[in-house]
Amino acid sequence: MRHRFVLALGALALLAQPASASAQSRPNTREGFFISFGVAGGSAKLDCNLCSGNRETGSAGYLRMGGTVSPRILVGGDAGGWLKTINGVDVQTGYLVASVYFYPRASGAWYLQGGAGVTEVSLSGSGSSDVTGTGFGLVVGTGYDWRVARNFSLTPYVSAMLSSSLDLSVNGTKVGSTTPSLVQFGLGFSWH
């Protein structure tokens, strides 16, 4: 896992280097409404008495939209999540957060993300009741908007979700607790 993280950071650092002449002809401008979605591989860990406690890889992604405050600051909503079937149980964790996206340079492509909101965990299997938990969570991330058209970018990104301890319940009855975490490495499709 650590090697993947280092490789992803290295790839983002390479992408942050000065762009070629063709990419420079498409300036990174941001104004008005934005929308973006991403697909990713993710690694989630659910520490609970009903879970394995191991970090598991699975499918992940996000959907975000919002508005431009300035060429360096965007604000919006971000929904994301991870899912995998483990031993016949569908395991999902996700988030819905309000986020700020900060670009250190007004015309730059590299950004930092920070957000706060709600996280959720769901475990469901055939013939059994769903186990769910909801609580407070934080999302941090970074990415690079590689402009390929006037208002469209390919966005390699890395993000992490951290959560408070969530009470797990079945039909309102507490059956345990968990503290989920999620890391995503993926590619976004962004319209600015």
Side-chain angles (χ1 to χ4, degrees):
M1 179 63 205
R2 184 176 181 160
H3 290 59
R4 290 184 201 160
F5 183 71
V6 171
L7 287 173
L9 287 178
L12 284 173
L14 286 174
L15 288 172
Q17 298 302 315
S20 67
S22 65
Q24 289 176 354
S25 66
R26 296 185 182 104
N28 279 302
T29 57
R30 291 168 285 279
E31 57 187 26
F33 178 77
F34 73 89
I35 187 167
S36 180
F37 72 91
V39 292
S43 174
K45 184 172 184 179
L46 304 174
D47 288 323
C48 71
N49 57 339
L50 303 173
C51 314
S52 69
N54 297 325
R55 186 159 284 282
E56 297 279 349
T57 58
S59 301
Y62 75 82
L63 172 66
R64 64 178 65 139
M65 60 184 74
T68 304
V69 174
S70 74
R72 295 175 61 187
I73 299 175
L74 306 178
V75 295
D78 193 335
W82 172 92
L83 59 97
K84 183 174 185 175
T85 300
I86 303 170
N87 298 326
V89 176
D90 294 329
V91 181
Q92 300 176 36
T93 186
Y95 57 85
L96 178 61
V97 297
S99 286
V100 174
Y101 310 91
F102 173 70
Y103 293 79
R105 291 186 21 210
S107 62
W110 177 62
Y111 69 86
L112 298 169
Q113 172 194 5
V118 177
T119 60
E120 183 178 53
V121 169
S122 172
L123 302 137
S124 59
S126 61
S128 63
S129 298
D130 290 354
V131 177
T132 60
T134 304
F136 176 76
L138 300 173
V139 173
V140 295
T142 186
Y144 187 89
D145 291 331
W146 180 33
R147 190 61 57 117
V148 294
R150 187 180 65 80
N151 65 348
F152 175 72
S153 298
L154 294 175
T155 307
Y157 73 95
V158 176
S159 68
M161 176 202 77
L162 307 170
S163 177
S164 63
S165 179
L166 312 179
D167 287 337
L168 295 174
S169 62
V170 176
N171 300 324
T173 302
K174 183 178 175 181
V175 294
S177 63
T178 184
T179 306
S181 64
L182 167 64
V183 177
Q184 295 184 43
F185 300 95
L187 180 65
F189 305 89
S190 307
W191 289 264
H192 303 273

